[in-house]
Amino acid sequence: MATAHIDNDTLIVEIEGLDRLWTLKSRLEIPLRNVRGATADPGVIREPKGIRAPGTYLPGVITAGTFHLDGERIFWDVRDPAKAVVIELRDERYARLIVQVEDPRATVALVEGAIARP
């Protein structure tokens, strides 16, 4: 699971607990100018994942780490797809962050509200 918060003009995604081990990441910092938007998407788990490198993938159990698909790098940290949020990025190492959060609607509102600020 992950938590997201805004610090000045930066979106910070903190990876929690054992997910740090599965994803090999503890924190992602993204300038808000590079965040295109966020959506709650429980169906995203059915999308092709591509090639895992590095990370953890047990179908139906956990998708975590870095995956490469169609020339894009995508970060996953999802065990419960009902709580999945997709954060679209530009000009960043990852094209998308797909993370499980406690409250997807609140996380989407946080991100969308932050990028809408002048």
Side-chain angles (χ1 to χ4, degrees), residues 4 11 13 17 27 29 39 45 61-62 65 76-77 80 82-83 88-89 92 94-95 103 117:
L11 168 65
V13 178
R27 179 181 174 111
E29 295 186 21
T39 56
I45 200 71
V61 179
I62 186 169
W76 284 84
D77 183 23
D80 180 357
K83 295 183 174 184
E88 301 280 346
L89 307 175
E92 284 292 325
Y94 294 103
D103 185 343
R117 289 187 303 194

PDB file of all heavy atoms in Angstrom, residues 4 11 13 17 27 29 39 45 61-62 65 76-77 80 82-83 88-89 92 94-95 103 117:
ATOM      1  N   ALA A   4      -0.142   9.062  -0.477  1.00  0.00           N
ATOM      2  CA  ALA A   4       0.276  10.191  -1.311  1.00  0.00           C
ATOM      3  C   ALA A   4      -0.002  11.473  -0.552  1.00  0.00           C
ATOM      4  O   ALA A   4      -1.014  11.591   0.151  1.00  0.00           O
ATOM      5  CB  ALA A   4      -0.480  10.180  -2.629  1.00  0.00           C
ATOM      6  N   LEU A  11       4.479  15.965  -5.688  1.00  0.00           N
ATOM      7  CA  LEU A  11       3.665  14.827  -5.258  1.00  0.00           C
ATOM      8  C   LEU A  11       4.620  13.792  -4.694  1.00  0.00           C
ATOM      9  O   LEU A  11       5.573  13.388  -5.359  1.00  0.00           O
ATOM     10  CB  LEU A  11       2.900  14.232  -6.449  1.00  0.00           C
ATOM     11  CG  LEU A  11       2.228  12.875  -6.204  1.00  0.00           C
ATOM     12  CD1 LEU A  11       1.113  12.998  -5.161  1.00  0.00           C
ATOM     13  CD2 LEU A  11       1.702  12.298  -7.506  1.00  0.00           C
ATOM     14  N   VAL A  13       4.826  10.027  -3.074  1.00  0.00           N
ATOM     15  CA  VAL A  13       4.165   8.737  -2.868  1.00  0.00           C
ATOM     16  C   VAL A  13       5.100   7.900  -2.006  1.00  0.00           C
ATOM     17  O   VAL A  13       6.218   7.596  -2.402  1.00  0.00           O
ATOM     18  CB  VAL A  13       3.878   8.042  -4.219  1.00  0.00           C
ATOM     19  CG1 VAL A  13       3.240   6.685  -3.979  1.00  0.00           C
ATOM     20  CG2 VAL A  13       2.999   8.925  -5.099  1.00  0.00           C
ATOM     21  N   GLY A  17       5.318  -0.443   4.538  1.00  0.00           N
ATOM     22  CA  GLY A  17       5.482  -1.821   5.000  1.00  0.00           C
ATOM     23  C   GLY A  17       6.295  -2.706   4.077  1.00  0.00           C
ATOM     24  O   GLY A  17       7.277  -2.277   3.466  1.00  0.00           O
ATOM     25  N   ARG A  27       9.942   5.484  -1.793  1.00  0.00           N
ATOM     26  CA  ARG A  27       9.374   6.819  -1.973  1.00  0.00           C
ATOM     27  C   ARG A  27       9.569   7.257  -3.420  1.00  0.00           C
ATOM     28  O   ARG A  27      10.615   7.000  -4.014  1.00  0.00           O
ATOM     29  CB  ARG A  27      10.113   7.774  -1.037  1.00  0.00           C
ATOM     30  CG  ARG A  27       9.734   9.189  -1.054  1.00  0.00           C
ATOM     31  CD  ARG A  27      10.629   9.939  -0.059  1.00  0.00           C
ATOM     32  NE  ARG A  27      10.434  11.365  -0.104  1.00  0.00           N
ATOM     33  CZ  ARG A  27       9.886  12.082   0.861  1.00  0.00           C
ATOM     34  NH1 ARG A  27       9.483  11.498   1.959  1.00  0.00           N
ATOM     35  NH2 ARG A  27       9.745  13.374   0.741  1.00  0.00           N
ATOM     36  N   GLU A  29       9.075  10.848  -5.738  1.00  0.00           N
ATOM     37  CA  GLU A  29       8.808  12.287  -5.707  1.00  0.00           C
ATOM     38  C   GLU A  29       8.638  12.756  -7.141  1.00  0.00           C
ATOM     39  O   GLU A  29       9.539  12.576  -7.964  1.00  0.00           O
ATOM     40  CB  GLU A  29       9.955  13.036  -5.033  1.00  0.00           C
ATOM     41  CG  GLU A  29      10.106  12.681  -3.571  1.00  0.00           C
ATOM     42  CD  GLU A  29      11.143  13.526  -2.867  1.00  0.00           C
ATOM     43  OE1 GLU A  29      11.473  14.635  -3.355  1.00  0.00           O
ATOM     44  OE2 GLU A  29      11.625  13.076  -1.819  1.00  0.00           O
ATOM     45  N   THR A  39      -6.823   8.855 -11.517  1.00  0.00           N
ATOM     46  CA  THR A  39      -8.145   8.249 -11.536  1.00  0.00           C
ATOM     47  C   THR A  39      -8.142   7.008 -10.647  1.00  0.00           C
ATOM     48  O   THR A  39      -7.128   6.325 -10.544  1.00  0.00           O
ATOM     49  CB  THR A  39      -8.558   7.810 -12.958  1.00  0.00           C
ATOM     50  OG1 THR A  39      -7.565   6.929 -13.477  1.00  0.00           O
ATOM     51  CG2 THR A  39      -8.709   8.994 -13.891  1.00  0.00           C
ATOM     52  N   ILE A  45      -6.179  -3.603 -13.027  1.00  0.00           N
ATOM     53  CA  ILE A  45      -5.442  -4.834 -12.722  1.00  0.00           C
ATOM     54  C   ILE A  45      -5.544  -5.852 -13.869  1.00  0.00           C
ATOM     55  O   ILE A  45      -4.692  -6.723 -14.001  1.00  0.00           O
ATOM     56  CB  ILE A  45      -5.927  -5.445 -11.384  1.00  0.00           C
ATOM     57  CG1 ILE A  45      -4.887  -6.398 -10.811  1.00  0.00           C
ATOM     58  CG2 ILE A  45      -7.268  -6.123 -11.551  1.00  0.00           C
ATOM     59  CD1 ILE A  45      -3.672  -5.729 -10.277  1.00  0.00           C
ATOM     60  N   VAL A  61      -2.537 -11.985  -6.662  1.00  0.00           N
ATOM     61  CA  VAL A  61      -2.040 -11.763  -5.306  1.00  0.00           C
ATOM     62  C   VAL A  61      -1.365 -10.405  -5.178  1.00  0.00           C
ATOM     63  O   VAL A  61      -1.751  -9.582  -4.342  1.00  0.00           O
ATOM     64  CB  VAL A  61      -1.052 -12.873  -4.875  1.00  0.00           C
ATOM     65  CG1 VAL A  61      -0.519 -12.620  -3.468  1.00  0.00           C
ATOM     66  CG2 VAL A  61      -1.718 -14.239  -4.961  1.00  0.00           C
ATOM     67  N   ILE A  62      -0.366 -10.144  -6.003  1.00  0.00           N
ATOM     68  CA  ILE A  62       0.370  -8.892  -5.899  1.00  0.00           C
ATOM     69  C   ILE A  62       1.013  -8.542  -7.245  1.00  0.00           C
ATOM     70  O   ILE A  62       1.503  -9.415  -7.964  1.00  0.00           O
ATOM     71  CB  ILE A  62       1.443  -8.956  -4.796  1.00  0.00           C
ATOM     72  CG1 ILE A  62       2.095  -7.579  -4.601  1.00  0.00           C
ATOM     73  CG2 ILE A  62       2.454 -10.038  -5.070  1.00  0.00           C
ATOM     74  CD1 ILE A  62       2.982  -7.495  -3.357  1.00  0.00           C
ATOM     75  N   GLY A  65       6.324  -3.216  -8.326  1.00  0.00           N
ATOM     76  CA  GLY A  65       7.632  -2.945  -8.897  1.00  0.00           C
ATOM     77  C   GLY A  65       7.530  -2.233 -10.229  1.00  0.00           C
ATOM     78  O   GLY A  65       6.521  -1.624 -10.552  1.00  0.00           O
ATOM     79  N   TRP A  76       4.057  -0.257 -10.349  1.00  0.00           N
ATOM     80  CA  TRP A  76       2.876  -0.895  -9.751  1.00  0.00           C
ATOM     81  C   TRP A  76       3.113  -1.179  -8.268  1.00  0.00           C
ATOM     82  O   TRP A  76       4.217  -1.574  -7.879  1.00  0.00           O
ATOM     83  CB  TRP A  76       2.617  -2.257 -10.417  1.00  0.00           C
ATOM     84  CG  TRP A  76       2.003  -2.231 -11.764  1.00  0.00           C
ATOM     85  CD1 TRP A  76       2.639  -2.071 -12.951  1.00  0.00           C
ATOM     86  CD2 TRP A  76       0.625  -2.437 -12.072  1.00  0.00           C
ATOM     87  NE1 TRP A  76       1.750  -2.150 -13.979  1.00  0.00           N
ATOM     88  CE2 TRP A  76       0.500  -2.380 -13.473  1.00  0.00           C
ATOM     89  CE3 TRP A  76      -0.518  -2.661 -11.296  1.00  0.00           C
ATOM     90  CZ2 TRP A  76      -0.730  -2.550 -14.118  1.00  0.00           C
ATOM     91  CZ3 TRP A  76      -1.731  -2.823 -11.938  1.00  0.00           C
ATOM     92  CH2 TRP A  76      -1.830  -2.757 -13.330  1.00  0.00           C
ATOM     93  N   ASP A  77       2.071  -0.991  -7.477  1.00  0.00           N
ATOM     94  CA  ASP A  77       2.052  -1.481  -6.098  1.00  0.00           C
ATOM     95  C   ASP A  77       0.598  -1.743  -5.732  1.00  0.00           C
ATOM     96  O   ASP A  77      -0.066  -0.919  -5.107  1.00  0.00           O
ATOM     97  CB  ASP A  77       2.683  -0.471  -5.134  1.00  0.00           C
ATOM     98  CG  ASP A  77       2.719  -1.016  -3.706  1.00  0.00           C
ATOM     99  OD1 ASP A  77       2.676  -2.250  -3.536  1.00  0.00           O
ATOM    100  OD2 ASP A  77       2.780  -0.196  -2.771  1.00  0.00           O
ATOM    101  N   ASP A  80      -4.886  -5.120  -3.744  1.00  0.00           N
ATOM    102  CA  ASP A  80      -6.347  -5.046  -3.772  1.00  0.00           C
ATOM    103  C   ASP A  80      -6.761  -4.069  -4.876  1.00  0.00           C
ATOM    104  O   ASP A  80      -6.681  -2.849  -4.690  1.00  0.00           O
ATOM    105  CB  ASP A  80      -6.869  -4.561  -2.421  1.00  0.00           C
ATOM    106  CG  ASP A  80      -8.381  -4.460  -2.380  1.00  0.00           C
ATOM    107  OD1 ASP A  80      -9.032  -4.715  -3.416  1.00  0.00           O
ATOM    108  OD2 ASP A  80      -8.901  -4.103  -1.309  1.00  0.00           O
ATOM    109  N   ALA A  82      -9.493  -3.004  -5.909  1.00  0.00           N
ATOM    110  CA  ALA A  82     -10.585  -2.078  -5.559  1.00  0.00           C
ATOM    111  C   ALA A  82     -10.037  -0.760  -5.030  1.00  0.00           C
ATOM    112  O   ALA A  82     -10.747   0.249  -5.016  1.00  0.00           O
ATOM    113  CB  ALA A  82     -11.513  -2.714  -4.526  1.00  0.00           C
ATOM    114  N   LYS A  83      -8.797  -0.754  -4.600  1.00  0.00           N
ATOM    115  CA  LYS A  83      -8.190   0.455  -4.037  1.00  0.00           C
ATOM    116  C   LYS A  83      -7.079   1.013  -4.930  1.00  0.00           C
ATOM    117  O   LYS A  83      -6.214   1.757  -4.469  1.00  0.00           O
ATOM    118  CB  LYS A  83      -7.639   0.148  -2.645  1.00  0.00           C
ATOM    119  CG  LYS A  83      -8.725  -0.216  -1.660  1.00  0.00           C
ATOM    120  CD  LYS A  83      -8.169  -0.445  -0.286  1.00  0.00           C
ATOM    121  CE  LYS A  83      -9.299  -0.673   0.704  1.00  0.00           C
ATOM    122  NZ  LYS A  83      -8.799  -0.797   2.072  1.00  0.00           N
ATOM    123  N   GLU A  88      -1.172   9.482 -13.880  1.00  0.00           N
ATOM    124  CA  GLU A  88      -0.532   9.655 -15.189  1.00  0.00           C
ATOM    125  C   GLU A  88       0.540  10.736 -15.094  1.00  0.00           C
ATOM    126  O   GLU A  88       0.290  11.809 -14.530  1.00  0.00           O
ATOM    127  CB  GLU A  88      -1.578  10.066 -16.234  1.00  0.00           C
ATOM    128  CG  GLU A  88      -2.707   9.082 -16.414  1.00  0.00           C
ATOM    129  CD  GLU A  88      -2.334   7.910 -17.300  1.00  0.00           C
ATOM    130  OE1 GLU A  88      -1.303   7.975 -17.983  1.00  0.00           O
ATOM    131  OE2 GLU A  88      -3.090   6.928 -17.296  1.00  0.00           O
ATOM    132  N   LEU A  89       1.705  10.449 -15.687  1.00  0.00           N
ATOM    133  CA  LEU A  89       2.844  11.375 -15.616  1.00  0.00           C
ATOM    134  C   LEU A  89       3.345  11.712 -17.012  1.00  0.00           C
ATOM    135  O   LEU A  89       3.070  10.999 -17.976  1.00  0.00           O
ATOM    136  CB  LEU A  89       3.972  10.735 -14.811  1.00  0.00           C
ATOM    137  CG  LEU A  89       3.624  10.210 -13.414  1.00  0.00           C
ATOM    138  CD1 LEU A  89       4.827   9.505 -12.813  1.00  0.00           C
ATOM    139  CD2 LEU A  89       3.147  11.333 -12.519  1.00  0.00           C
ATOM    140  N   GLU A  92       8.767  11.969 -17.046  1.00  0.00           N
ATOM    141  CA  GLU A  92       9.274  11.334 -15.831  1.00  0.00           C
ATOM    142  C   GLU A  92       9.797   9.944 -16.167  1.00  0.00           C
ATOM    143  O   GLU A  92       9.518   9.409 -17.239  1.00  0.00           O
ATOM    144  CB  GLU A  92       8.164  11.203 -14.769  1.00  0.00           C
ATOM    145  CG  GLU A  92       7.833  12.484 -14.078  1.00  0.00           C
ATOM    146  CD  GLU A  92       8.962  12.979 -13.173  1.00  0.00           C
ATOM    147  OE1 GLU A  92       9.667  12.156 -12.563  1.00  0.00           O
ATOM    148  OE2 GLU A  92       9.133  14.204 -13.106  1.00  0.00           O
ATOM    149  N   TYR A  94       8.791   7.194 -14.938  1.00  0.00           N
ATOM    150  CA  TYR A  94       7.609   6.349 -15.106  1.00  0.00           C
ATOM    151  C   TYR A  94       6.533   7.108 -15.880  1.00  0.00           C
ATOM    152  O   TYR A  94       6.311   8.289 -15.633  1.00  0.00           O
ATOM    153  CB  TYR A  94       7.032   5.945 -13.745  1.00  0.00           C
ATOM    154  CG  TYR A  94       7.954   5.055 -12.944  1.00  0.00           C
ATOM    155  CD1 TYR A  94       8.689   5.560 -11.884  1.00  0.00           C
ATOM    156  CD2 TYR A  94       8.085   3.710 -13.255  1.00  0.00           C
ATOM    157  CE1 TYR A  94       9.536   4.747 -11.152  1.00  0.00           C
ATOM    158  CE2 TYR A  94       8.930   2.889 -12.529  1.00  0.00           C
ATOM    159  CZ  TYR A  94       9.657   3.408 -11.486  1.00  0.00           C
ATOM    160  OH  TYR A  94      10.489   2.599 -10.772  1.00  0.00           O
ATOM    161  N   ALA A  95       5.856   6.415 -16.780  1.00  0.00           N
ATOM    162  CA  ALA A  95       4.723   7.005 -17.490  1.00  0.00           C
ATOM    163  C   ALA A  95       3.476   7.002 -16.605  1.00  0.00           C
ATOM    164  O   ALA A  95       2.617   7.878 -16.734  1.00  0.00           O
ATOM    165  CB  ALA A  95       4.440   6.241 -18.780  1.00  0.00           C
ATOM    166  N   ASP A 103      -7.757   5.187   0.584  1.00  0.00           N
ATOM    167  CA  ASP A 103      -8.977   5.850   0.119  1.00  0.00           C
ATOM    168  C   ASP A 103      -8.741   6.400  -1.297  1.00  0.00           C
ATOM    169  O   ASP A 103      -8.256   7.523  -1.456  1.00  0.00           O
ATOM    170  CB  ASP A 103      -9.344   6.983   1.078  1.00  0.00           C
ATOM    171  CG  ASP A 103     -10.666   7.636   0.734  1.00  0.00           C
ATOM    172  OD1 ASP A 103     -11.158   7.467  -0.404  1.00  0.00           O
ATOM    173  OD2 ASP A 103     -11.209   8.332   1.618  1.00  0.00           O
ATOM    174  N   ARG A 117      -4.237  23.802  -9.208  1.00  0.00           N
ATOM    175  CA  ARG A 117      -3.836  25.089  -8.624  1.00  0.00           C
ATOM    176  C   ARG A 117      -3.020  25.888  -9.635  1.00  0.00           C
ATOM    177  O   ARG A 117      -2.198  25.308 -10.351  1.00  0.00           O
ATOM    178  CB  ARG A 117      -2.985  24.890  -7.373  1.00  0.00           C
ATOM    179  CG  ARG A 117      -3.752  24.370  -6.200  1.00  0.00           C
ATOM    180  CD  ARG A 117      -2.899  24.369  -4.985  1.00  0.00           C
ATOM    181  NE  ARG A 117      -1.679  23.563  -5.238  1.00  0.00           N
ATOM    182  CZ  ARG A 117      -0.858  23.146  -4.302  1.00  0.00           C
ATOM    183  NH1 ARG A 117      -1.052  23.475  -3.068  1.00  0.00           N
ATOM    184  NH2 ARG A 117       0.192  22.433  -4.598  1.00  0.00           N
TER     185      ARG A 117
END
